[in-house]
Amino acid sequence: MDKLLALKMFVETVRCGGYSSAARKLGISTSSVTRQVAGLENELGASLLNRTTRNTSVTVAGQTYFEKAVAILDAIDEADAVVADRGSEPQGRLRISVPVEFGRRLIAPHLSRLLERHPGLEISLSLSDQVSDLLSEQIDVSVRLGSSVVSEDIVSKRVGHFERWVVASPEYLARSAALCHPRDLLEHQCLRFDYGGTHQHWTFQSEEAPIQLNVHGRLQSNNADILREAAIGGGGVTLLADWLVREDVAAGRLTRVLEHYEINPGSASTCINALYLPNHRGSSRINVFIEFLMEILSVLPRGTQTE
């Protein structure tokens, strides 16, 4: 018995819910699939599938074996991709982690173009506002905004930059205290991104000394679009990326204030970085994605341009 072939047929049978469906997907006869899976069960001395005249389902032992088999097949595919990944044309799966709204608004609309350009490339896109552990999460490349990584264990490639704008709804500003100077924020409800701490500083750069304020407010969220929606609804003042609120400002849903300052939370920067492990240097999959990312950022309005 070809063990690798049998594993593939077993996995497809579970995924497709039956021998016939798996056979059609694999382009072979149903009897071939049945024979391979039966041989696998005989070798293991355990039933992997429950069979009835109407359907096929996986046993408890089969579910455990299925999960391990999928991991083995994925590892083989990844090993093949790594070897093929030094050529001029990218091959295999690229696992990417990007911030939630950045991924939804700036990356997702263009992914079909990237896949059309590179027929051998597969994309697995994970959306998270948390910093990914590239090694343990098996992430090939992570895009981070405002975080600079200085480490021998991580390669950081700057692909662009953006601005952070202080915005609030016209209705909120009309009923609230004047907001002409950064220190006026101490009299306002500040809608803050949840970085995990109870205090949050917004740092205002000016021609004189930086102004650092410990802002307060009753709403925090780890999702930037929640803060955007709350601001549009009149909930307070928030600090968000220009690419997220630019259309709202243009449409009058939000008003930009304190625009003469460069503002960042704490010591965060305005850089957009692509992070990957050193052993992925020269990866054609990562290289084409970084080129694609820089292409997207280069055509955005000023304030989110590549450097």
Side-chain angles (χ1 to χ4, degrees):
M1 180 182 62
D2 185 331
K3 188 67 167 286
L4 182 59
L5 179 61
L7 285 177
K8 289 181 178 179
M9 292 189 181
F10 167 65
V11 165
E12 288 304 327
T13 300
V14 174
R15 285 175 170 166
C16 296
Y19 296 118
S20 299
S21 298
R24 284 195 296 272
K25 182 174 181 180
L26 295 169
I28 58 177
S29 67
T30 301
S31 60
S32 295
V33 178
T34 305
R35 185 170 57 253
Q36 288 290 338
V37 175
L40 195 58
E41 289 179 316
N42 289 335
E43 180 179 298
L44 295 170
S47 294
L48 300 176
L49 299 171
N50 294 312
R51 306 165 183 84
T52 68
T53 54
R54 294 186 175 182
N55 58 45
T56 301
S57 61
V58 66
T59 66
V60 173
Q63 181 62 37
T64 300
Y65 196 73
F66 169 77
E67 293 170 1
K68 298 294 185 181
V70 168
I72 290 169
L73 294 175
D74 283 348
I76 292 173
D77 288 343
E78 178 65 19
D80 291 345
V82 168
V83 173
D85 197 28
R86 296 299 187 270
S88 58
E89 181 57 33
Q91 301 287 333
R93 181 179 300 174
L94 179 67
R95 297 177 178 87
I96 307 165
S97 174
V98 299
V100 177
E101 294 305 322
F102 184 85
R104 289 180 60 238
R105 293 168 181 267
L106 298 188
I107 302 296
H110 305 283
L111 282 177
S112 59
R113 189 166 79 246
L114 177 65
L115 293 172
E116 184 178 355
R117 287 179 186 173
H118 305 287
L121 184 65
E122 299 177 24
I123 297 291
S124 176
L125 184 67
S126 173
L127 303 181
S128 174
D129 288 326
Q130 306 303 314
V131 178
S132 303
D133 185 317
L134 300 179
L135 186 60
S136 66
E137 298 178 40
Q138 296 184 313
I139 299 295
D140 296 312
V141 59
S142 174
V143 179
R144 292 297 109 187
L145 279 62
S147 301
S148 57
V149 176
V150 181
S151 169
E152 294 181 355
D153 300 325
I154 299 291
V155 178
S156 179
K157 168 71 173 178
R158 184 176 298 179
V159 294
H161 71 274
F162 64 104
E163 295 177 355
R164 291 185 176 91
W165 290 0
V166 176
V167 294
S169 72
E171 294 77 14
Y172 173 85
L173 294 173
R175 69 172 187 264
S176 303
L179 189 44
C180 303
H181 188 275
R183 292 190 179 87
D184 294 335
L185 285 168
L186 299 177
E187 305 300 322
H188 286 262
Q189 284 290 323
C190 293
L191 312 171
R192 298 165 294 152
F193 194 87
D194 188 357
Y195 292 97
T198 55
H199 299 289
Q200 187 176 130
H201 294 97
W202 290 358
T203 303
F204 292 76
Q205 301 291 341
S206 65
E207 295 180 358
E208 302 174 354
I211 302 170
Q212 190 176 74
L213 298 174
N214 185 16
V215 295
H216 299 276
R218 293 187 294 144
L219 175 62
Q220 285 183 277
S221 177
N222 64 351
N223 180 268
D225 201 47
I226 295 295
L227 301 179
R228 170 186 163 272
E229 291 285 355
I232 292 173
V237 185
T238 191
L239 178 61
L240 294 172
D242 59 342
W243 51 263
L244 181 58
V245 296
R246 185 182 296 277
E247 290 184 3
D248 298 311
V249 171
R253 292 184 293 267
L254 293 172
T255 299
R256 185 184 179 190
V257 296
L258 304 174
E259 61 267 32
H260 300 300
Y261 296 88
E262 178 185 332
I263 315 111
N264 293 302
S267 59
S269 74
T270 56
C271 297
I272 304 173
N273 296 306
L275 312 177
Y276 55 92
L277 297 174
N279 63 340
H280 284 165
R281 282 191 176 97
S283 163
S284 57
R285 290 176 297 166
I286 291 177
N287 287 341
V288 297
F289 177 71
I290 288 177
E291 291 170 3
F292 162 75
L293 187 58
M294 295 178 73
E295 176 185 316
I296 292 172
L297 297 178
S298 69
V299 297
L300 292 175
R302 184 170 181 171
T304 320
Q305 296 288 326
T306 54
E307 295 187 347

